[in-house]
């Protein structure tokens, strides 16, 4: 390896400055230069906004790029660092994982300086950008294969105070859904690393499916709401209208809320995101590819739920996720951080 | 090759019968068995409905499968043959083209019995199913990378009478858009083959993006409208509501209406499908990946148009299509088949 990861400019300069985060070359890939925008207005919150961790989730890079246009005028204090694209090779390939090494950047944190390209990206971000922020907005989406409402997401956090802070921050986006997602495949995730350092980390899931202009306006509005809540910009919070509805709800989802395909075949969705379903309601139908010799299989809601994600009609493998359900966050619970959540919700 | 393509059942049996279209094995792939449903109610129109030509357009297979559930009861005369999935390997791979040979089935007609698997599928359909129909509905969509309204589409046809018949049939779906698409990349397309035999062929483009339950209901309703117009089923024509609008318009699009990306980069859509745009209105923005050293490029409407398709926000190559514009079909024109269209439109 020829050099260490580095920034090509001094992010501490006042006002707006720009440059690159250089991820060194390795045996598998030449050096990468990730554009970085820094907006330094002195004392105040220190925020890092990232997009393009997964290459088929372009909502984040576009919203991040829009912020660069208006934030220099709007920001009144503090420091915001924006990296619209964390993973350029994946974005160029419209691929969730990095094509060069096949790795998922959001499972590689804190990365390795002598690893493959995905590990080197994670290492550069962890060492050079993460220490400069107390709050991180990582802009994801559910990608082209899912329908999903605009949502701000956190996993449960053992530290009760940090959990309460995180849920408050997540709710400040005023997205249709704030989701506490109990999820086990977390080793190497960016949020786990940031939270272990006491930082507030929000994973924005900016919808799913095609990335259209109307949806982008909603996503941008949500991020702007969060910037207002942080005190970085002034303005009036707006409740974005999503599919003719204005509402925000805080939900939780458990591993048992992931519905999986009982067989390989074509999944036909039979409900829509944010639908309320009762026990036994139809979620979708799995049609085996040989429609003559095998019966279609109905997939039904195991308990009363709200549909927070539904797979697009497509061929799926057996045990592939086809729907994600959720329920309003329960106040009385002994899971980690739940008492902090209760405090958070009690503020009304 | 071990055998000729064949049907495993007698499609002339009265009522509903089912079986397979067997596409023989070749050096590249084992034999394929495509499920086929036949609904024979005697004299009347002879219709073939196909889906799944492209493996990442699952709207068609799902709508075709739904028809199989209610058509046996509803159909009053004639014969309908339904093949929900023309290209099983492509559907299993969620891939536009067949993975085995990389070919686009909709450029391979009439196919070759001794060709690669895609050519063998085209050959089996051309020889065994196409002769049994006078009208064909081939159910496509714009796939996961585009937003597109539900539309029935035809290319211009030199035979004026067939053109008039085809546009009338296309309009009978009552989709938000009926589109006459002047398109040059037509050799090997299914419609060109069918039209050369004097048949009425409608390519349904059932939207784009995620395949959701609300959209599927619209698509099914449009196909049902067309079945009513053909006299195959009885019922009341419904004008499907698409994104809170009930309207149908007949448009035409020329090769010059395809807007392409001026450079590689991330395309940001700035308009929505069915938007009316004036000369110079913003369609989208192309952001080069190195956002620091290269300026973003605005893509604007060259003439007053209606947006009929817009690319999802994603990385695109230079000269990749990012938008498709259209205008109301002009009555006075000397292009092939236009006089027939005038007649068709004059019926009010």
């Amino acid at each position: 390896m020829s050099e260490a990861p580095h920034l090509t400019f001094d992010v501490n300069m006042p006002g707006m400055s720009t440059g690159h985060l250089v991820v060194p070359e390795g045996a598998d890939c030449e050096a990468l230069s990730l554009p970085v925008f820094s907006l330094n207005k002195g004392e105040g919150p220190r925020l890092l906004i990232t997009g393009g961790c997964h290459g088929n989730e372009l909502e984040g890079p576009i919203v991040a790029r829009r912020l660069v246009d208006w934030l220099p005028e709007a920001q009144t204090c503090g420091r915001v660092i924006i990296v619209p694209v964390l993973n350029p090779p994946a974005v160029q390939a419209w691929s969730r994982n990095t094509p060069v090494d096949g790795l998922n950047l959001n499972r590689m944190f804190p990365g390795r300086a002598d690893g493959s390209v995905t590990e080197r990206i994670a290492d550069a971000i962890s060492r050079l950008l993460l220490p400069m922020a107390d709050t991180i907005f990582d802009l994801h989406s559910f990608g082209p294969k899912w329908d999903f409402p605009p949502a701000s997401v956190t996993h449960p956090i053992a530290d009760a105070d940090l959990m309460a802070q995180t849920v408050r921050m997540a709710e400040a986006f005023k997205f249709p859904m704030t989701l506490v997602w109990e999820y086990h495949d977390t080793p190497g995730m960016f949020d786990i690393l940031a939270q272990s350092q006491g930082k507030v980390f929000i994973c924005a899931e900016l919808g799913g499916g095609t990335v259209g202009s109307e949806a982008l306006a909603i996503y941008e509005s949500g991020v702007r709401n969060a910037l207002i809540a942080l005190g970085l910009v002034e303005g009036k919070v707006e409740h974005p209208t999503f599919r003719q509805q204005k509402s925000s709800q805080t939900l939780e989802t458990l591993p048992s809320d992931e519905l999986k395909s009982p067989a390989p075949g074509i999944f036909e969705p039979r409900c829509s995101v944010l639908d309320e379903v009762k026990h036994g309601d139809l979620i979708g139908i799995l049609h085996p590819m040989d429609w003559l010799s095998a019966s279609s299989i109905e997939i039904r809601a195991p308990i009363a739920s709200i549909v927070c994600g539904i797979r697009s009609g497509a061929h799926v493998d057996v045990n592939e996720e086809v729907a994600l359900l959720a329920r309003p966050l329960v106040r009385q619970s002994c899971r980690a951080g739940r008492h902090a959540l209760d405090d958070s919700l009690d503020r009304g």
Side-chain angles (χ1 to χ4, degrees), chain A:
Chain A
M1 225 162 41
S2 57
E3 56 181 351
H6 60 277
L7 285 156
T8 62
F9 70 118
D10 177 9
V11 292
N12 293 315
M13 280 189 292
M16 173 161 164
S17 54
T18 60
H20 291 96
L21 173 66
V22 177
V23 178
E25 68 174 339
D28 56 350
C29 178
E30 61 187 10
L32 300 176
S33 289
L34 281 47
V36 177
F37 301 83
S38 171
L39 301 157
N40 184 1
K41 299 272 177 101
E43 289 300 305
R46 301 190 312 151
L47 174 66
L48 171 64
I49 299 177
T50 52
C53 173
H54 296 132
N56 58 359
E57 302 170 6
L58 275 288
E59 296 86 346
I62 294 172
V63 168
R65 182 63 186 79
R66 287 186 178 195
L67 291 182
V68 171
D69 284 338
W70 58 260
L71 203 54
E73 290 298 313
Q75 188 180 325
T76 57
C77 67
R79 192 167 73 183
V80 182
I81 295 173
I82 302 177
V83 189
V85 173
L86 291 178
N87 195 345
V91 165
Q92 281 166 15
W94 203 56
S95 157
R96 179 176 173 82
N97 292 358
T98 319
V100 180
D101 55 17
L103 296 178
N104 178 346
L105 175 55
N106 205 21
R107 296 297 181 281
M108 291 299 127
F109 286 89
R112 287 196 309 146
D114 61 350
S116 67
V117 63
T118 309
E119 294 170 298
R120 297 199 302 277
I121 295 173
D123 173 68
I125 298 160
S126 304
R127 282 206 278 157
L128 296 177
L129 295 182
L130 192 56
M132 296 182 182
D134 307 310
T135 305
I136 300 96
F137 298 164
D138 192 25
L139 309 181
H140 285 253
S141 79
F142 255 54
K145 296 182 171 184
W146 284 79
D147 195 20
F148 201 78
S152 45
V153 177
T154 181
H155 301 126
I157 305 167
D159 178 324
D161 287 342
L162 187 59
M163 185 72 198
Q165 269 184 278
T166 301
V167 170
R168 267 198 298 276
M169 186 76 255
E171 289 176 329
F173 285 74
K174 304 296 179 197
F175 277 141
M177 185 166 73
T178 300
L179 188 64
V180 177
W181 191 341
E182 193 170 313
Y183 191 68
H184 295 315
D185 180 23
T186 55
M189 290 185 80
F190 194 11
D191 63 340
I192 304 300
L193 173 66
Q195 287 158 358
S196 74
Q197 299 174 7
K199 299 175 194 289
V200 171
F201 188 107
I202 306 299
C203 175
E205 293 286 355
L206 303 176
T210 51
V211 183
S213 63
E214 289 175 25
L216 286 167
I218 296 173
Y219 309 151
E220 183 182 5
S221 166
V223 174
R224 185 172 167 278
N225 287 341
L227 292 169
I228 293 170
L230 268 175
L232 285 164
V233 306
E234 293 174 351
K236 194 166 164 290
V237 167
E238 288 174 12
H239 286 254
T241 302
F242 175 68
R243 297 181 191 170
Q244 290 68 58
Q245 291 186 5
K246 269 194 184 191
S247 68
S248 298
Q249 47 191 336
T250 301
L251 307 176
E252 69 177 340
T253 180
L254 305 174
S256 56
D257 289 314
E258 287 179 25
L259 302 189
K260 301 191 175 180
S261 175
I266 293 178
F267 175 68
E268 175 182 354
R270 280 292 180 117
C271 61
S272 301
V273 293
L274 300 184
D275 277 359
E276 293 183 25
V277 291
K278 300 186 301 294
H279 165 77
D281 279 356
L282 190 59
I283 300 295
I285 303 175
L286 193 283
H287 302 289
M289 282 286 277
D290 188 346
W291 284 326
L292 300 180
S293 56
S295 296
S296 296
I297 306 166
E298 293 179 340
I299 300 165
R300 294 185 174 275
I303 56 170
S305 309
I306 295 162
V307 178
C308 64
I310 182 90
R311 187 76 163 72
S312 181
H315 187 273
V316 294
D317 290 327
V318 63
N319 277 330
E320 194 168 332
E321 285 85 358
V322 292
L324 185 67
L325 306 181
R327 275 144 290 94
L329 191 66
V330 178
R331 284 161 185 263
Q332 301 308 323
S333 164
C334 56
R335 278 202 297 280
R338 186 50 44 84
H339 293 104
L341 281 181
D342 294 345
D343 295 346
S344 164
L345 292 166
D346 281 338
R347 74 198 154 73

